[in-house]
Amino acid sequence: MSQTASRRVVLEPSAVEVAFAWFQRLMAVYCLLFGAFYWVRLIGIYPGVLWRFDLMPVHWRIATATLAVFFPFAAAGLWMLASWGPVIWFICAATETVMYAGFPQLFGVNWPIVAVHAVVALIYLIFRVVLYLQKRRERQEMTD
């Protein structure tokens, strides 16, 4: 067997890469649901002050309109496994975290949403570290 034949590159994704792809797709569904939630607020399906755009205070109008666009956009990027999908999700998560944790007097306190964003970010970070270490190990094996 020649030396080039023994150094074949494996193109099959690892189990971690497959799990990460499924995780991103799950995040996409979650972003789509959040986006739909904000669109429901924009179009005023439910009665109530904060459920109709024309009755919302200005700070809620800005936040709702922004997140109604960004969450579905993040969902599309995450579903396609595009590199910009997690970036847009991070913008959405940071926006909601600042809304609910930074300005509770304006937006109220919603710790479950802040906690969900923190858990998702932690899981994403763990996946990225594991994938980095896996790629580094593969590169070391190829050079040995």
Side-chain angles (χ1 to χ4, degrees), residues 9 21-22 55 58 72 86 89 93 112 114 120 129 143:
V9 177
W22 278 104
L55 299 177
V58 173
W89 170 83
V114 173
V120 169
V129 168
T143 58

Side-chain angles (χ1 to χ4, degrees), residues 61-72:
R61 288 181 185 184
I62 293 168
T64 302
T66 302
L67 292 171
V69 172
F70 272 33
F71 266 121

Side-chain angles (χ1 to χ4, degrees), residues 87-104:
V87 175
I88 303 300
W89 170 83
F90 178 79
I91 291 169
C92 295
T95 301
E96 281 196 321
T97 300
V98 168
M99 283 169 52
Y100 295 124
F103 297 101

